[in-house]
Amino acid sequence: MYELLVVCFFFAIDLIVQWVLATGVLGALGCAIAGGHPLSILAAFIASPLTPLHPALASGTVSALVEASLRKPTYADFMALRDDVQHLKGWWRNRVARTLLNFFLTSLGTAIGVWTGGLRMLGKLIG
């Protein structure tokens, strides 16, 4: 009986590690592609495994809040937003657009991680 509990414990730990790595790495990768600050990337990695479990939270929101607090948008960024988002380079140059991009790509990475991690976990459970 004790051996079965140990096997189940290590199996559960393996599933949790797969979930954390799949969602955390892909959420952090999305944040990194958006040009996020290293602390925003860390926040995305930490938040991504937790936020799919709570419907009121989003990993993109967490990393975008960290990004906006570290790289505060200026009045000029808001005034130039309309022109900057018309060009691909402007999305990364404008701090407001970068925060939006950070939100979107972190959320997208986490969503892909949820599906990837979920399918890997399901494969382990079934086969």
Side-chain angles (χ1 to χ4, degrees), residues 28-123:
L29 180 65
C31 185
I33 291 170
H37 189 277
L39 290 177
S40 298
I41 296 170
L42 180 63
F45 181 81
I46 292 170
S48 291
L50 303 173
T51 55
L53 306 174
H54 193 286
L57 297 174
S59 59
T61 303
V62 173
S63 77
L65 283 172
V66 172
E67 183 72 23
S69 67
L70 294 172
R71 295 181 177 157
K72 295 184 182 356
T74 62
Y75 178 74
D77 289 326
F78 282 99
M79 294 305 293
L81 184 61
R82 182 182 295 194
D83 295 329
D84 286 342
V85 296
Q86 292 179 4
H87 307 287
L88 190 60
K89 190 176 179 181
W91 280 92
W92 279 266
R93 184 178 55 230
N94 187 300
R95 291 180 181 187
V96 175
R98 183 184 290 179
T99 301
L100 294 172
L101 195 63
N102 190 318
F103 169 79
F104 177 72
L105 291 179
T106 301
S107 296
L108 180 65
T110 301
I112 293 170
V114 166
W115 282 98
T116 304
L119 290 174
R120 292 175 102 194
M121 289 170 61
L122 187 62

Side-chain angles (χ1 to χ4, degrees), residues 12-46:
I13 293 296
D14 183 45
L15 292 178
I16 291 169
V17 167
Q18 283 190 9
W19 174 262
V20 168
L21 289 178
T23 56
V25 168
L26 290 175
L29 180 65
C31 185
I33 291 170
H37 189 277
L39 290 177
S40 298
I41 296 170
L42 180 63
F45 181 81
I46 292 170

